[in-house]
Amino acid sequence: MTHPAIQLRDHQRDAFRAAARSLAHMPRVTVISATGSGKTLTAMRVGEHVANDGNILVVVPSLNLISQTAAHWARDSVVENMLGVCSLTPAQAGTVRLPLTTAPRRIAELICPRPVIMCIW
């Protein structure tokens, strides 16, 4: 899988490798990092690695964070099929590449049958 130009920093690379190793043997992993340390980019790379061409569901706790996350994923990810689940407009989310919805059927179509779920707090 080819990635855009942005590269992981050393601590992000260490977290990525640890998460990827763990996910090879267990269904979930927790990566704990400080605010501003690049959790979004680290999670993005882990999701891309684990999901390959599958679906990735990213869960964030606030509309502000979905805007930040959507902008990062739209700019820095190789994932092309994205859907944001929130009440924001694409302009409010900071990207037109990310379609946004609250429609249950649209959400189910994207995440079925088995998504990789990323929660970023």
Side-chain angles (χ1 to χ4, degrees):
M1 190 173 260
T2 304
H3 293 293
I6 191 163
Q7 298 297 312
L8 296 175
R9 290 177 268 163
D10 289 343
H11 70 278
Q12 292 168 313
R13 196 172 306 105
D14 292 343
F16 166 82
R17 288 179 182 147
R21 271 193 314 271
S22 295
L23 287 168
H25 304 289
M26 59 186 83
R28 65 180 151 242
V29 65
T30 301
V31 176
I32 301 171
S33 297
T35 300
S37 63
K39 290 182 293 295
T40 300
L41 181 58
T42 303
M44 183 187 324
R45 294 296 184 251
V46 171
E48 291 167 345
H49 174 76
V50 174
N52 291 322
D53 293 328
N55 297 319
I56 304 169
L57 173 63
V58 179
V59 180
V60 296
S62 70
L63 292 177
N64 287 339
L65 195 51
I66 199 169
S67 297
Q68 172 188 324
T69 303
H72 277 286
W73 280 67
R75 182 183 65 236
D76 302 324
S77 178
V78 297
V79 173
E80 293 182 13
N81 189 17
M82 295 189 237
L83 177 68
V85 179
C86 70
S87 58
L88 295 175
T89 66
Q92 291 169 316
T95 178
V96 293
R97 181 174 168 212
L98 178 69
L100 301 169
T101 189
T102 56
R105 177 178 286 246
R106 177 81 168 101
I107 298 163
E109 288 170 354
L110 181 70
I111 66 171
C112 290
R114 187 176 172 176
V116 172
I117 302 174
M118 313 293 295
C119 298
I120 305 170
W121 258 256

